[in-house]
Amino acid sequence: IIMEKSYIENHTIFETVIGSHAYGTHNEDSDYDKAGVVIPGIEYFYSNNRFDQYQDYPGEDKTMYNIIKAIKLISENNPNMMDLLAVPESCHIIVTRYWEKVIENKDLFISKKSKFTFSGYAISQLNRIKTHRSYLLNPPKAKPERTDFGLPEFPIVETAQLKALINVASLYEYIEEEKKETFVNDLDTIYAEQVIPLFAKNLKEDRKTIALEFLQTGLQNQLNTFLALGNNSYIKEEYREIAEKELQYTNALKDWNRYQEWKKSRNKKRAPLEEKFGYDTKHAMHLVRLLRMGKEILTTGKIHVDRRNIDAEELIAIRNGLWPYEQIEEYASNFEVELDTLYKESTLQNAPDINKIHKLTIEIIDDYHTNEGTN
């Protein structure tokens, strides 16, 4: 089945304005971002037809989600999707009793898990700020070439070894030196106590033995790669220096490609602010908002999307360059510590009540198909 806009419109149970207009931080240049939820007909539940989301709206930033996908993301405490539980009514375009029932039961979704998702999204904003700031202050001057690193035209390090090294070295280098051994041991424990049992629980019975053997081999290879980065046994000694240069070249090339993509897709309206203040102030505004919303959830159990009577003016000022870059970094660092404390003190449930959420979702879908038709 080819999904069409008319089908989405006929099965929409919720549509709303999101983003800056919902937060109350918009200006004259702000777009009207929209999102919504659809309950497709039974053909999407009792066949091989699949539909997660629909975005084919030329010139419009709008995403309509299958209710299954929407509920899944909200259950994961995805910050953008949790907004759909608390967007101010003035932003609603379409709201039916089916989505109202989800909103009425929003406490099933709200949990301490929000600490990790909201702070995680905030840190991703900070990483973007840092990367783009480096492009502003010290942009790459030319595309890296293999000869720049004293490398031959073609790699001579065994492909499997180099690929494994590249895949994990970037992560491994961020781990504190004295904690690397503990990290690997903890990772091994997670695999043994959580990952393997999870797969074992869900694998087909007649394929379980083969699949688990394959899985364990793959996980062990990953652990071996982490371990090998700390000794001299993984990369052949005569290739070690070249392997390190290959890694440097690969990272430099990735950075160059990211820089080119940033220049190509850079928001022209925001560029003057970036140039003036030395960093992306809009990302900074979202960083602060996400951290504060995470704190509010932990302390009050409420999702405060509408910031107009809370801190909208300050957030707008931050977007306009109120805080220097150093203050943004310090704020994020201090807030992370505060969130750790609040997480321990919070009386919220540790995670969303998945069983009740599943039951609620089934009830809503059945109700919709019974009363609205199934096509």
Side-chain angles (χ1 to χ4, degrees):
I1 295 177
I2 299 176
M3 183 61 67
E4 296 181 351
K5 185 163 66 173
S6 59
Y7 185 96
I8 296 296
E9 292 173 348
N10 290 333
H11 291 78
T12 294
I13 63 166
F14 181 58
E15 183 179 345
T16 185
V17 173
I18 57 172
S20 61
H21 283 86
Y23 301 134
T25 58
H26 57 283
N27 57 27
E28 63 277 6
D29 295 323
S30 298
D31 296 325
Y32 274 90
D33 301 332
K34 299 173 185 176
V37 181
V38 172
I39 299 182
I42 59 173
E43 67 273 20
Y44 283 93
F45 294 91
Y46 299 108
S47 71
N48 291 326
N49 295 318
R50 290 292 178 266
F51 152 61
D52 283 333
Q53 59 193 60
Y54 182 86
Q55 295 174 291
D56 190 12
Y57 297 97
E60 191 174 9
D61 192 343
K62 177 177 173 179
T63 303
M64 301 297 290
Y65 296 90
N66 184 327
I67 189 172
I68 300 296
K69 178 71 174 290
I71 294 295
K72 179 178 183 295
L73 292 173
I74 296 172
S75 297
E76 293 170 353
N77 283 190
N78 176 297
N80 293 333
M81 295 301 291
M82 287 191 77
D83 284 355
L84 299 187
L85 298 177
V87 172
E89 292 184 6
S90 59
C91 291
H92 291 174
I93 300 171
I94 297 172
V95 58
T96 65
R97 63 185 178 86
Y98 305 106
W99 193 252
E100 285 177 342
K101 192 166 185 178
V102 175
I103 295 175
E104 289 168 5
N105 287 276
K106 60 178 175 289
D107 287 346
L108 297 179
F109 300 90
I110 296 173
S111 74
K112 293 170 70 172
K113 189 175 182 179
S114 295
K115 184 267 183 187
F116 303 103
T117 55
F118 277 78
S119 65
Y121 270 52
I123 295 305
S124 71
Q125 295 286 341
L126 182 60
N127 289 337
R128 289 193 192 98
I129 291 171
K130 288 180 178 179
T131 299
H132 297 172
R133 178 174 167 82
S134 71
Y135 294 157
L136 287 167
L137 302 181
N138 188 29
K141 295 179 175 58
K143 181 179 180 179
E145 303 293 343
R146 294 182 61 80
T147 53
D148 298 337
F149 297 82
L151 291 168
E153 183 178 359
F154 300 104
I156 64 172
V157 177
E158 293 180 29
T159 304
Q161 290 186 340
L162 181 61
K163 185 178 180 181
L165 180 67
I166 290 171
N167 282 343
V168 299
S170 296
L171 170 64
Y172 199 68
E173 68 177 338
Y174 290 120
I175 300 171
E176 295 180 27
E177 193 64 38
E178 66 276 11
K179 295 182 180 179
K180 286 183 176 180
E181 183 177 351
T182 301
F183 168 79
V184 174
N185 291 335
D186 288 346
L187 192 62
D188 192 21
T189 300
I190 291 172
Y191 285 155
E193 297 181 357
Q194 298 182 38
V195 178
I196 296 295
L198 177 63
F199 275 89
K201 177 182 177 182
N202 295 283
L203 288 168
K204 293 181 179 179
E205 198 62 39
D206 61 340
R207 294 289 185 267
K208 185 173 294 187
T209 302
I210 296 175
L212 283 178
E213 183 177 343
F214 175 78
L215 178 66
Q216 286 174 311
T217 300
L219 296 177
Q220 192 58 50
N221 284 341
Q222 184 179 8
L223 280 171
N224 288 341
T225 301
F226 276 115
L227 288 168
L229 290 169
N231 59 45
N232 295 320
S233 61
Y234 189 70
I235 301 294
K236 293 179 180 179
E237 191 58 42
E238 62 267 33
Y239 291 160
R240 179 167 293 278
E241 183 178 350
I242 295 177
E244 291 176 354
K245 290 181 179 179
E246 288 280 7
L247 181 58
Q248 292 170 3
Y249 165 70
T250 300
N251 287 336
L253 185 59
K254 284 182 179 179
D255 191 52
W256 171 260
N257 290 334
R258 284 194 293 263
Y259 172 62
Q260 294 302 315
E261 181 61 29
W262 173 72
K263 286 202 304 182
K264 179 181 177 181
S265 59
R266 189 180 180 193
N267 189 305
K268 291 181 174 57
K269 293 179 180 179
R270 279 157 56 187
L273 275 177
E274 286 184 286
E275 298 286 351
K276 180 177 180 179
F277 297 105
Y279 72 98
D280 191 322
T281 54
K282 184 174 181 180
H283 284 327
M285 175 186 70
H286 286 307
L287 179 154
V288 173
R289 175 185 59 79
L290 284 162
L291 289 174
R292 290 177 177 177
M293 288 181 69
K295 175 181 178 178
E296 290 160 2
I297 291 173
L298 287 176
T299 55
T300 70
K302 307 294 182 183
I303 308 169
H304 296 296
V305 174
D306 188 351
R307 314 301 299 178
R308 286 175 298 180
N309 294 317
I310 302 174
D311 58 359
E313 290 186 5
E314 184 183 20
L315 291 174
I316 293 170
I318 291 171
R319 184 182 60 204
N320 292 335
L322 175 68
W323 291 6
Y325 170 74
E326 293 74 16
Q327 186 174 349
I328 294 294
E329 270 200 315
E330 182 180 4
Y331 186 85
S333 177
N334 292 340
F335 217 101
E336 272 290 286
V337 175
E338 183 178 2
L339 287 180
D340 286 339
T341 301
L342 292 175
Y343 177 84
K344 296 173 184 176
E345 297 173 349
S346 176
T347 58
L348 291 177
Q349 57 186 351
N350 288 330
D353 194 328
I354 297 300
N355 290 332
K356 289 184 178 179
I357 290 171
H358 284 170
K359 182 179 178 182
L360 174 68
T361 306
I362 292 169
E363 288 176 355
I364 292 172
I365 293 172
D366 283 349
D367 185 13
Y368 177 82
H369 286 161
T370 299
N371 293 283
E372 306 294 335
T374 59
N375 304 117

